[in-house]
Amino acid sequence: MKRFSLAIQGWLLILPALSVLMVFTHWPALATFIDSFYSTPKGRRPSRFVGLSNYEQMLSDPVFWKAAINNLIFVAGTVPLSIALALIMALWVNDKLKGRTALRMAFFTPTILPMIAVANIWLFFFTPQYGLLEQITGLFGAPSWPWLGSDKTALFCVIIVAVWKEAGFFMIFYLAALQQISPTLGEAASLEGASRWTFFRRVQWPLLMPTTLFILINAMINGFRLVDHVFVLTHGGPDNSSTLLLYYIYEVGFKYWDTAYAATLTTVLLATLALIAAIQYGILERRVHYR
Amino acid sequence: MERQDPYQPHGLALTLETIGAWLLALIWILPLAYAVWTAFHPPEFSTRFVLDAPLTLDNFRRALDAAPFARYALNTFLLVTTILAGQLILCTLAAYGFARYDFPGSGLLFALVLAQLMIMPDVLIVENYRTMSRLGLVDTIPAMALPYMASAFGIFLLRQTFKTVPVELDDAARVEGASALQILWRIYIPLAKPVYLAYALVSVSHHWNNFLWPLIITNSVEARPLTVGLQIFASTDQGIDWSIICAATLLSAAPLIIGFLLFQRQFVQSFMRAGIR
């Protein structure tokens, strides 16, 4: 009887959070999948079952492929770059440099600023001729270039801003992990005559592995979620050269109001996120020693 | 005496490292520094950097005249407090249930909660919009707040914290006849105070900056938060008047920047604490 009442209490404690979670996360995820097999209701015509035709439309939609490939490039660009920078920042700030508190603060500041706000400042940086970037390159006599207006560099700019925004956030986790490494390890390694590089490669880097995995997963998720700056910098253009999946979903769902097709695209995004989860729990967790 | 780190760089290596670190920091702070420069100087100095440029607050006045930033700020304030209040209540209850109650299905339910770490409301915009319009909540602050209230991250963080509380305290209070909620209120919540502070800082700064969902679900000045207001302001009204855009940018981030400057250590430690699992 006591066991039973405890179980009821446990259930009641969880119920409020779980019901909100069900309504705004689990159900919409499921509904997205279901809706991807139906047509968009138009006027008096209700939505009807159309099988895989939304998916067929997607596979023959060049903008979808553009967004998907751009997104992969975006992830491949931001993830390694922001992790490498985060690690360098953390190693630097961990050493006793002059003004390390100020350094740490400078690296961390982008984390707390609204992306939509700072993107406006980056917009000015990239402006041809009188933007800050070209004022600097102009000193070296480099010709003017429409950084955001060219399909060759727009995605690159979108990547740079994302790296700038994220690296300092990831630095924090490396810093915390570095500070937990026992100083006796450094003393032992130096007695053995190990160089600083060897110490990093053989001692610090392996011990940072769980942190790297944690950051890697977060960076990958953000790679599919971070689109705020696209709204300011390029609007996905020119000619969709800097559009990302979530941005395209926004356009399809809320500019063209093709909700069924937006649901189909969202299903692809959800499947990608599920794949990242599977990689985390399946392969990497087994390999990496986790605390 | 302080222990000497044998791998602390010396001499030339230290100099090079310091220069490298400061250069990178300079690049990192440049956008904010530029915004401050432009916002506090007359427009003709927005692309000219001379030391004797006169200071002015005129850009801020013009920005405040051009868009209802005070209203946007109020909406953002209401939004982040609504979300935080909801999160604190829902996550505390659920975390306590997961940490201290053993009941059939708790493992599965916890896995369902953790699924939200991957599949966030941020990407479920199409269906959540549909739900909100069915509920008649479009263009309201609850519509912006609701999807984020049951935060898997908050539940996870608090559950880990609650698990470190000795069960003996729990049992002793129970023997004295305290109810579950009394135990939670008198023992668990006070012991988890630093974690609550960390979580609150992370939550507030995250939702202060959130953009896509508020953009979709609001369409009037009465509900729009700062981020959306700023974007509409910068993209339509002002063309490329950088001074006024920079002033508006600083206005919309000011509470976070000031908070960060004052409580720098707490901010960094909070993000650290909240991120380590």
Side-chain angles (χ1 to χ4, degrees):
Chain A
M1 189 58 210
K2 187 157 179 298
R3 247 183 99 88
F4 181 69
S5 90
L6 275 182
I8 296 286
Q9 272 187 24
W11 269 93
L12 285 176
L13 285 167
I14 289 160
L15 191 67
L18 202 67
S19 25
V20 174
L21 213 58
M22 290 273 178
V23 175
F24 297 108
T25 302
H26 298 124
W27 164 248
L30 193 66
T32 300
F33 185 65
I34 296 170
D35 278 357
S36 71
F37 298 104
Y38 285 83
S39 66
T40 303
K42 282 191 186 102
R44 281 211 241 128
R45 226 173 50 219
S47 81
R48 58 186 174 83
F49 184 77
V50 292
L52 289 172
S53 94
N54 285 323
Y55 288 92
E56 282 162 14
Q57 182 196 343
M58 181 178 80
L59 292 178
S60 58
D61 174 8
V63 184
F64 161 70
W65 286 109
K66 192 80 202 166
I69 291 166
N70 280 348
N71 219 141
L72 290 180
I73 297 173
F74 182 71
V75 169
T78 50
V79 173
L81 206 58
S82 56
I83 291 181
L85 275 170
L87 183 57
I88 292 171
M89 288 171 175
L91 287 168
W92 278 347
V93 173
N94 196 38
D95 284 335
K96 292 179 183 61
L97 302 183
K98 279 217 164 57
R100 57 199 284 215
T101 314
L103 287 174
R104 190 180 67 176
M105 198 162 144
F107 294 145
F108 187 72
T109 304
T111 305
I112 57 142
L113 297 175
M115 183 60 136
I116 206 75
V118 289
N120 275 304
I121 303 167
W122 278 95
L123 185 66
F124 168 72
F125 275 34
F126 290 126
T127 306
Q129 279 158 19
Y130 65 94
L132 205 61
L133 183 66
E134 295 224 332
Q135 289 202 19
I136 295 168
T137 56
L139 290 179
F140 300 100
S144 179
W145 179 261
W147 295 95
L148 295 166
S150 158
D151 57 359
K152 289 195 183 66
T153 47
L155 184 59
F156 171 75
C157 295
V158 167
I159 289 174
I160 294 292
V161 175
V163 169
W164 171 80
K165 177 86 170 129
E166 293 211 278
F169 176 52
F170 296 148
M171 168 196 76
I172 294 296
F173 304 121
Y174 272 133
L175 194 57
L178 279 172
Q179 286 170 354
Q180 278 176 3
I181 295 178
S182 161
T184 52
L185 287 174
E187 284 161 17
S190 76
L191 284 179
E192 299 279 331
S195 69
R196 195 186 185 202
W197 169 244
T198 312
F199 176 62
F200 171 73
R201 203 167 54 95
R202 291 291 169 79
V203 181
Q204 286 180 312
W205 178 243
L207 284 172
L208 290 175
M209 217 48 200
T211 313
T212 306
L213 172 71
F214 169 76
I215 297 175
L216 180 71
I217 296 295
N218 270 286
M220 276 165 66
I221 296 172
N222 283 349
F224 290 97
R225 193 174 61 129
L226 212 61
V227 294
D228 291 2
H229 56 317
V230 177
F231 282 83
V232 177
L233 293 175
T234 63
H235 303 277
D239 198 19
N240 296 310
S241 63
S242 64
T243 195
L244 299 173
L245 263 182
L246 186 54
Y247 187 79
Y248 187 45
I249 290 172
Y250 163 78
E251 282 195 322
V252 170
F254 297 97
K255 270 177 150 174
Y256 317 139
W257 293 99
D258 188 350
T259 49
Y261 188 41
T264 314
L265 293 166
T266 309
T267 305
V268 173
L269 186 55
L270 291 180
T272 313
L273 292 172
L275 187 71
I276 297 174
I279 293 171
Q280 177 184 19
Y281 292 112
I283 309 157
L284 289 170
E285 290 269 288
R286 251 181 284 150
R287 283 228 204 130
V288 181
H289 159 75
Y290 221 97
R291 273 166 292 187
Chain B
M1 200 185 96
E2 204 191 335
R3 249 165 136 174
Q4 199 62 44
D5 175 4
Y7 289 103
Q8 162 75 22
H10 292 285
L12 183 66
L14 179 65
T15 314
L16 286 178
E17 197 176 299
T18 311
I19 293 172
W22 276 98
L23 268 179
L24 192 65
L26 205 68
I27 298 172
W28 241 244
I29 207 72
L30 202 58
L32 188 62
Y34 169 75
V36 172
W37 169 274
T38 308
F40 285 101
H41 291 102
E44 57 268 32
F45 292 97
S46 72
T47 55
R48 273 178 52 215
F49 306 99
V50 286
L51 282 176
D52 59 348
L55 290 167
T56 174
L57 288 173
D58 197 46
N59 299 317
F60 291 95
R61 197 183 46 73
R62 286 196 298 145
L64 285 170
D65 284 345
F69 280 108
R71 178 72 215 204
Y72 294 154
L74 175 68
N75 294 336
T76 294
F77 175 77
L78 291 174
L79 173 64
V80 295
T81 43
T82 310
I83 291 180
L84 186 62
Q87 283 176 335
L88 290 181
I89 296 167
L90 293 179
C91 297
T92 300
L93 292 176
Y96 185 51
F98 281 123
R100 283 295 181 244
Y101 285 83
D102 186 27
F103 52 90
S106 70
L108 177 73
L109 291 179
F110 192 56
L112 275 178
V113 168
L114 290 189
Q116 200 211 27
L117 290 176
M118 290 289 160
I119 295 167
M120 287 150 297
D122 292 0
V123 298
L124 299 166
I125 47 179
V126 179
E127 294 298 332
N128 274 339
Y129 183 87
R130 181 174 302 193
T131 306
M132 290 305 170
S133 54
R134 274 193 202 129
L135 294 172
L137 286 175
V138 173
D139 200 30
T140 62
I141 285 169
M144 278 189 283
L146 270 169
Y148 295 100
M149 279 190 177
S151 148
F153 170 60
I155 295 172
F156 183 85
L157 191 70
L158 288 171
R159 170 184 171 268
Q160 297 302 89
T161 314
F162 288 167
K163 269 182 173 278
T164 62
V165 175
V167 189
E168 289 77 21
L169 283 178
D170 220 311
D171 293 340
R174 227 171 268 272
V175 169
E176 297 197 355
S179 72
L181 288 180
Q182 281 171 330
I183 294 171
L184 182 60
W185 183 251
R186 297 219 187 109
I187 298 175
Y188 283 82
I189 293 177
L191 284 173
K193 247 183 205 155
V195 177
Y196 276 109
L197 180 71
Y199 181 73
L201 274 181
V202 174
S203 167
V204 167
S205 49
H206 183 82
H207 291 289
W208 192 285
N209 297 341
N210 199 12
F211 171 69
L212 184 56
W213 175 242
L215 170 76
I216 290 165
I217 202 71
T218 62
N219 48 37
S220 74
V221 171
E222 280 68 39
R224 225 171 255 155
L226 277 168
T227 46
V228 181
L230 178 68
Q231 166 56 8
I232 289 169
F233 172 73
S235 60
T236 54
D237 299 359
Q238 298 309 319
I240 44 168
D241 186 345
W242 294 109
S243 331
I244 198 169
I245 287 176
C246 283
T249 298
L250 286 187
L251 278 178
S252 61
L256 287 184
I257 297 174
I258 293 168
F260 179 56
L261 288 176
L262 290 177
F263 305 104
Q264 196 237 128
R265 188 168 284 275
Q266 282 87 337
F267 258 89
V268 173
Q269 275 173 355
S270 295
F271 276 80
M272 234 186 233
R273 194 193 292 267
I276 296 166
R277 319 179 179 189

